[in-house]
Amino acid sequence: MPPADASNALDVGVSTHTIRRVPRLERSGAPAFILEGRDRFVVGRNEQCDLVVPDASVSRAHARIEREGPVWTITDVGSSNGTTVQGEPVFGSHRLAHGDEIMLGRVRLRFVDDDQPRTETQKVHQPKPRLTPTELAVLVELCRPLYASGSAFKVPAEVSQIAATRVTGEGAVRMTLGTLYDKFGIVDGPSRRVRLAEEAVQRGVISARLYDADQQG
């Protein structure tokens, strides 16, 4: 079997017998990316990346794929056009499941790990908490930049942005966010807004359909 970084570009051929039962990223009509030989891979358009995707919609350094124990995760590293898994935006570290569809800009990949049953790699999400209309409205505004059509991929909205959209004070927004942190189990620490938005998306409280009307308008 060739070294892991000897066939890092999509236009390099790899035998299907070679990749069988090896964790990999598959792309229709192109050889697979082999995920072995190391625990961390940077994916992007730059030829210096571990896994090279020569497509204009992919940033020079787009995402990072890492092995964490028995599972693999993907993290967007500030790309221009964003990363999604199963149609949902990635911000923070997202745990990959066998068969997951990954979009890097316009490039579609499929994560395959034949030796791991889906039940082991798929995160079990907590149930949706009960939210008041105000709490849901603040959460929707928090996550709005993640689904903004035609814009670069962004982190969740700032408190000041939410307050301006809601036409309310920043103190009121912080108070509502505090309640949301409690309801979603977001403990004190860095990037609490990011962790709250990620949890809301993963639990299905926030999804693209909530913003469809805005995009159509």
Side-chain angles (χ1 to χ4, degrees), residues 134-184:
T134 297
E135 291 164 354
L136 179 58
V138 168
L139 199 56
V140 166
E141 295 308 323
L142 175 74
C143 298
R144 185 176 296 279
L146 307 176
Y147 295 91
S149 177
S151 66
F153 186 77
K154 299 177 181 178
V155 296
E158 300 284 348
V159 170
S160 59
Q161 294 174 304
I162 299 172
T165 303
R166 296 279 299 154
V167 192
T168 189
E170 293 186 16
V173 173
R174 289 193 180 91
M175 184 176 298
T176 302
L177 285 174
T179 302
L180 288 168
Y181 294 146
D182 291 338
K183 288 189 174 183
F184 281 89

Side-chain angles (χ1 to χ4, degrees), residues 2 46 99 106 123 126 130 159 180 191 194-195 197 203:
N46 192 308
R106 296 188 302 268
K123 184 176 180 179
Q126 297 296 321
R130 290 177 176 270
V159 170
L180 288 168
S191 306
V194 172
R195 288 184 284 140
R203 293 199 200 185

Side-chain angles (χ1 to χ4, degrees), residues 116-136:
Q116 283 194 351
R118 191 174 183 86
T119 53
E120 289 185 12
T121 59
Q122 190 173 36
K123 184 176 180 179
V124 178
H125 304 306
Q126 297 296 321
K128 299 178 183 180
R130 290 177 176 270
L131 302 179
T132 67
T134 297
E135 291 164 354
L136 179 58

Side-chain angles (χ1 to χ4, degrees), residues 31-201:
F33 286 134
I34 307 302
L35 301 176
E36 65 175 352
R38 66 188 75 174
D39 292 330
R40 174 181 295 187
F41 297 84
V42 176
V43 187
R45 197 176 71 249
N46 192 308
E47 293 183 358
Q48 300 303 313
C49 289
D50 302 308
L51 305 178
V52 181
V53 185
D55 187 278
S57 69
V58 176
S59 295
R60 292 174 63 81
H62 197 108
R64 184 175 64 248
I65 295 178
E66 298 175 278
R67 185 198 298 272
E68 297 183 1
V71 300
W72 290 87
T73 65
I74 186 168
T75 305
D76 188 277
V77 294
S79 69
S80 296
N81 293 316
T83 303
T84 67
V85 175
Q86 296 295 95
E88 297 295 345
V90 170
F91 46 98
S93 178
H94 184 98
R95 195 171 181 178
L96 290 171
H98 172 68
D100 272 351
E101 179 185 275
I102 302 168
M103 292 293 295
L104 305 179
R106 296 188 302 268
V107 175
R108 187 187 312 273
L109 303 171
R110 179 172 174 265
F111 174 73
V112 178
D113 189 350
D114 303 293
D115 289 334
Q116 283 194 351
R118 191 174 183 86
T119 53
E120 289 185 12
T121 59
Q122 190 173 36
K123 184 176 180 179
V124 178
H125 304 306
Q126 297 296 321
K128 299 178 183 180
R130 290 177 176 270
L131 302 179
T132 67
T134 297
E135 291 164 354
L136 179 58
V138 168
L139 199 56
V140 166
E141 295 308 323
L142 175 74
C143 298
R144 185 176 296 279
L146 307 176
Y147 295 91
S149 177
S151 66
F153 186 77
K154 299 177 181 178
V155 296
E158 300 284 348
V159 170
S160 59
Q161 294 174 304
I162 299 172
T165 303
R166 296 279 299 154
V167 192
T168 189
E170 293 186 16
V173 173
R174 289 193 180 91
M175 184 176 298
T176 302
L177 285 174
T179 302
L180 288 168
Y181 294 146
D182 291 338
K183 288 189 174 183
F184 281 89
I186 308 299
V187 299
D188 289 341
S191 306
R192 281 210 295 175
R193 286 182 302 103
V194 172
R195 288 184 284 140
L196 172 60
E198 181 179 34
E199 193 68 24
V201 170

Side-chain angles (χ1 to χ4, degrees), residues 197-217:
E198 181 179 34
E199 193 68 24
V201 170
Q202 291 183 352
R203 293 199 200 185
V205 177
I206 297 295
S207 64
R209 63 180 176 78
L210 293 173
Y211 307 95
D212 286 346
D214 294 344
Q215 294 180 7
Q216 292 171 3

